[in-house]
Amino acid sequence: NGCDSTATLNLTINPSTTSTSSATACDSYTWNGTAYTSSGAYTYVTTNAIGCDSTATLNLTINPSTTSSSTVTACDDYSWNGTTYSASGTYTYSTLNSNGCDSTATLNLTINPSTTSSSTVTACDDYSWNGTTYSASGTYTYSTTNSNGCDSTATLNLTINPSTTSSSTVT
């Protein structure tokens, strides 16, 4: 109808919110209900307490755990990471890698034994053993390698009895 009209607007502007955080984890990291296994920048959009957009950013670094495996065959015993093992088996060693994450080493170990043997022999005058002829009583050893590639020591306890001769003259 051609008259002045005044409208008043009482306006409240509520701000959106943003946040940024950084995290470093081993293997995976769960953030806002999602598990992440790769490094990267991730965002999560939701509504803040006053009903406006809220965007959170996560700068994530994922460091991997490490594993290694080795197979070893040894004679009698084997020292590994400060422990001496004398039986075949599978052994593990856990520590932290350079990133501070788990590092598990596995050792598949076969232990082969050294062997020893002993024999006692009495012979007349001399005795041949492993390529050597002995003419005196004593204890002798012979070292070689057994079928597993480990030390093999044979011991000979030898007694040498001399032959005797006699002569007689008869008329």
Side-chain angles (χ1 to χ4, degrees):
N1 33 358
C3 299
D4 289 337
S5 174
T6 303
T8 302
L9 172 65
N10 295 315
L11 178 63
T12 302
I13 300 291
N14 291 321
S16 296
T17 55
T18 61
S19 64
T20 301
S21 60
S22 297
T24 300
C26 296
D27 300 323
S28 69
Y29 186 78
T30 300
W31 184 58
N32 292 314
T34 301
Y36 298 93
T37 58
S38 314
S39 296
Y42 300 97
T43 57
Y44 180 73
V45 178
T46 188
T47 303
N48 64 18
I50 54 176
C52 297
D53 289 341
S54 175
T55 303
T57 301
L58 172 66
N59 295 312
L60 179 62
T61 302
I62 295 291
N63 292 321
S65 296
T66 54
T67 60
S68 65
S69 180
S70 58
T71 300
V72 173
T73 300
C75 296
D76 300 323
D77 58 40
Y78 184 73
S79 292
W80 184 60
N81 291 312
T83 302
T84 300
Y85 299 94
S86 58
S88 296
T90 300
Y91 302 97
T92 58
Y93 180 75
S94 297
T95 188
L96 297 178
N97 64 21
S98 61
N99 295 323
C101 298
D102 290 339
S103 175
T104 302
T106 300
L107 173 65
N108 298 304
L109 180 62
T110 301
I111 294 292
N112 290 322
S114 294
T115 53
T116 60
S117 63
S118 180
S119 57
T120 301
V121 174
T122 300
C124 295
D125 299 324
D126 59 40
Y127 183 75
S128 291
W129 183 62
N130 291 312
T132 303
T133 300
Y134 299 94
S135 58
S137 296
T139 300
Y140 302 98
T141 58
Y142 179 75
S143 296
T144 189
T145 303
N146 65 21
S147 61
N148 293 324
C150 298
D151 291 341
S152 175
T153 303
T155 301
L156 172 65
N157 298 305
L158 179 61
T159 302
I160 296 292
N161 291 323
S163 295
T164 57
T165 59
S166 63
S167 174
S168 59
T169 302
V170 175
T171 301

